[in-house]
Amino acid sequence: MTSRLERGTPKELAEVLIRELTGIDVGQVHDGYAHAVELLVDAKITGGELAEPAEAAPALDLMAALEESVRAAGRAHGSLLARRPRP
């Protein structure tokens, strides 16, 4: 019988990742989008030049990225989830 976690719904995988990353220093996490918005707002307020938007990056497979993050966190913490084979 396949467990719900083995089916890997996005919500369940996200919950596992959050549990595995308990203790992460969120002060070291950088939010590039928020920084870019702050620069845009500052430029609008001061009447400065607005930078041309950067070329869009290729789309990512978010589910694959989430699964890999969960596995990496599991490897770092010795979780059984890290040893689960990828479907």
Side-chain angles (χ1 to χ4, degrees):
M1 182 171 159
T2 303
S3 75
R4 286 183 12 206
L5 186 55
E6 287 172 346
R7 285 194 302 255
T9 66
K11 181 181 179 217
E12 291 167 333
L13 290 173
E15 289 170 350
V16 169
L17 180 60
I18 290 168
R19 276 195 310 272
E20 292 288 342
L21 293 177
T22 300
I24 190 171
D25 181 5
V26 294
Q28 294 181 349
V29 177
H30 176 71
D31 185 353
Y33 181 80
H35 179 69
V37 169
E38 288 174 10
L39 293 175
L40 177 64
V41 170
D42 288 344
K44 285 283 214 173
I45 290 172
T46 61
E49 290 282 323
L50 300 179
E52 288 294 318
E55 192 171 316
L60 298 175
D61 181 348
L62 296 179
M63 192 64 191
L66 177 60
E67 288 173 351
E68 181 54 36
S69 294
V70 169
R71 282 190 189 83
R75 285 190 297 269
H77 292 89
S79 169
L80 292 175
L81 182 61
R83 294 186 279 274
R84 188 185 89 189
R86 188 171 178 170

